[in-house]
Amino acid sequence: MAAMRWKNWKGWAAAAAITMAAGQAATAAVPLPSLGANPAEVSVSGLSAGGFMAVQLHVAYSATFKRGAGVVAGGPYYCAEGSVLNATGRCMAHGSSIPVSTLVSTTNSWAASGAIDPVSNMAGSKVYLFSGTSDNTVKPAVMDDLKTYYQSFVPAANTVYRNNIGAGHAMVTDDYGGACSTTAAPYINNCGFDLAGEILTQLYGPLNPRNNGTLGGSFTEFNQSEFITGHGVAATGWIYVPQACTTASCRVHLVLHGCKQNYTDVGDQYVKKTGYNRWADTNNIVLIYPQTSTAATNSCWDWWGYDNANYAKKSGPQMAALKAMVDRVTGSGGGSSLPAPTGVGTSGATSSSMVIGWAGVSGASGYNVYRGGSKVNAAPVAGTNYTDTGLAPSTTYSWTVAALDAGNARGAMSAAATGTTLAGSGGGGTCYTASNYAHTVAGRAYALWGLTYAYGSGQSMGLWNVYVTTTLKQTGPNYYVIGTC
């Protein structure tokens, strides 16, 4: 196995070197490698929008992010409840209270339905929370509510909450960035406090001393487009692989930047100056730095629904893509060296079914199909398409596919493909006629750059104000179209 991993690594590293030397376009970045990393040692952390996203991933994919989450200036799971007003109001300024008990109930309900993983997975994970006392962007009271939220799922002994440092809204280091109390680009502050080290120590236990010298591993720009295209995600991201991880099975930590912090906004500062890499280098931790695009609202990760109504569930496009990146790095996940199927797509939508198709993998004896991370086929699929049934009308889902070898061991997971079922038959539905502003307050629509869009269908409703009136018809859970009943 080690020999196979080294062979794969050499090929990937060579491709990476050729790509960087040739100065090819971002779309020609190398594929994210399958490193055979340990799937039981996966964790996530993030700042601001990345902090909210880290909570979403930890809660929705708790079977994947078993080690837990580090959250800097984030808030409770599903805090915005699909409303940009909630996002910018109670979830940041805390001008009104956050309904923590309601969010806990929603979490339990979604777990029971399979929209997210069982909440019992979180009982064995660790959490690190950080809030700067000078943070006026995401108020410390929001982080207090996050701590309260986690108390329903994570033992108190497994949680650390640091809230006594005068930091502004920023990722904190002990040797790089702006003045500690400031809130300004690149949102990295020198507070004389090694936050990255504290987070990783909480998640993984005692660590070897960090490498303060020249790092021995490799930074590589990888192709994110094989996991997701559009949806506010950039064409490429970054990965740091310590030298030891080319031959050994390592841990994996996903690092999520905040708003206005992607590679286009601040260059490589978040990727290289936040302190994670020097700890990873001496502690066998692979770091994945996915990137949003500037097409995303303020370059933020989707934690309030600007991209998709299912943003906080396993079926959310950004969520499924980030999960697929982790699946790739942890390798086969089942002992097989078969590569990931390519060309995964959806077609033939009805109100209750979807056809998932893919290109065949040489050497595969069959395939497994996963919806939102859960296998949906009872027996291995012999062909290269599968009809998934029992779906809800007007609902967006996400599917991935893995090839099986002769012993039914699973190969690498494919990139995610999303699709939306059709509206139910018979017309039906409930209609709401109100101003565009009222629709956003009620959670039937969202505002973006002064315009209003219906949740689910994404149909443009015109200007976001109290003067434009629109009739929205609900045709499914969190799915609205412009129309009449």
Side-chain angles (χ1 to χ4, degrees):
M1 187 68 179
M4 177 65 72
R5 186 180 299 117
W6 175 239
K7 179 180 178 182
N8 292 343
W9 167 261
K10 287 199 296 183
W12 177 77
I18 292 171
T19 298
M20 289 185 290
Q24 294 176 347
T27 54
V30 300
L32 187 66
S34 179
L35 297 173
N38 189 343
E41 296 288 327
V42 177
S43 61
V44 61
S45 68
L47 161 69
S48 192
F52 281 97
M53 195 69 169
V55 173
Q56 284 182 190
L57 288 167
H58 180 214
V59 174
Y61 285 115
S62 56
T64 295
F65 296 92
K66 296 182 179 71
R67 275 294 186 171
V71 186
V72 184
Y77 179 74
Y78 202 50
C79 182
E81 294 186 293
S83 166
V84 68
L85 296 180
N86 285 343
T88 57
R90 71 191 191 192
C91 300
M92 294 175 65
H94 209 272
S96 59
S97 61
I98 297 173
V100 176
S101 60
T102 299
L103 302 179
V104 168
S105 296
T106 297
T107 304
N108 286 320
S109 175
W110 286 358
S113 72
I116 63 176
D117 287 346
V119 296
S120 58
N121 294 325
M122 287 186 277
S125 64
K126 301 286 186 70
V127 171
Y128 186 97
L129 310 176
F130 181 92
S131 180
T133 61
S134 296
D135 190 338
N136 291 313
T137 303
V138 177
K139 297 279 191 176
V142 177
M143 286 292 292
D144 295 343
D145 284 345
L146 175 58
K147 179 184 178 184
T148 301
Y149 170 87
Y150 265 130
Q151 286 173 351
S152 295
F153 305 106
V154 179
N158 288 7
T159 301
V160 169
Y161 183 22
R162 188 67 181 259
N163 60 351
N164 60 351
I165 293 176
H169 189 68
M171 179 62 191
V172 168
T173 78
D174 61 355
D175 59 3
Y176 182 85
C180 186
S181 62
T182 60
T183 297
Y187 307 102
I188 303 171
N189 289 357
N190 182 356
C191 293
F193 182 73
D194 184 8
L195 182 52
E198 292 290 317
I199 290 172
L200 294 176
T201 297
Q202 167 64 3
L203 298 178
Y204 291 110
L207 300 176
N208 297 322
R210 71 189 194 188
N211 179 5
N212 289 324
T214 301
L215 299 180
S218 301
F219 284 102
T220 304
E221 188 174 20
F222 69 89
N223 180 16
Q224 293 188 148
S225 298
E226 62 176 318
F227 302 100
I228 187 170
T229 301
H231 295 285
V233 180
T236 63
W238 291 84
I239 183 172
Y240 179 73
V241 181
Q243 179 62 36
C245 298
T246 62
T247 56
S249 180
C250 290
R251 304 152 166 170
V252 179
H253 186 68
L254 191 72
V255 187
L256 301 171
H257 63 73
C259 298
K260 292 294 184 182
Q261 269 191 321
N262 66 29
Y263 200 87
T264 301
D265 294 321
V266 301
D268 65 4
Q269 291 183 88
Y270 204 83
V271 173
K272 293 187 176 180
K273 301 295 186 181
T274 47
Y276 288 99
N277 305 314
R278 52 197 177 189
W279 286 102
D281 204 48
T282 53
N283 289 280
N284 293 5
I285 303 173
V286 174
L287 299 172
I288 308 173
Y289 293 94
Q291 301 290 304
T292 63
S293 71
T294 52
T297 302
N298 291 326
S299 302
C300 302
W301 294 103
D302 187 12
W303 63 273
W304 69 89
Y306 73 75
D307 174 65
N308 189 275
N310 295 316
Y311 68 94
K313 300 177 181 178
K314 293 196 293 185
S315 58
Q318 290 187 7
M319 296 279 282
L322 295 173
K323 163 70 158 54
M325 292 178 195
V326 170
D327 287 343
R328 172 69 62 78
V329 172
T330 55
S332 64
S336 171
S337 59
L338 289 174
T342 58
V344 180
T346 59
S347 63
T350 72
S351 62
S352 62
S353 67
M354 186 73 69
V355 177
I356 299 90
W358 57 91
V361 173
S362 178
S365 64
Y367 302 88
N368 281 343
V369 180
Y370 302 82
R371 183 200 325 135
S374 299
K375 187 166 74 73
V376 293
N377 53 296
V381 179
T384 55
N385 64 76
Y386 177 81
T387 301
D388 193 9
T389 59
L391 309 179
S394 303
T395 302
T396 299
Y397 294 93
S398 175
W399 290 269
T400 52
V401 181
L404 304 174
D405 64 17
N408 278 342
R410 195 184 82 186
M413 194 69 72
S414 75
T418 59
T420 303
T421 52
L422 302 181
S425 59
T430 301
C431 284
Y432 304 87
T433 300
S435 71
N436 283 351
Y437 174 80
H439 280 306
T440 62
V441 172
R444 296 184 288 267
Y446 62 94
L448 181 64
W449 306 120
L451 297 176
T452 317
Y453 299 88
Y455 266 129
S457 68
Q459 292 176 321
S460 176
M461 299 159 55
L463 295 173
W464 182 50
N465 58 37
V466 297
Y467 305 107
V468 178
T469 299
T470 306
T471 297
L472 290 180
K473 177 181 178 181
Q474 184 173 10
T475 60
N478 295 317
Y479 199 98
Y480 299 85
V481 298
I482 298 173
T484 58
C485 293

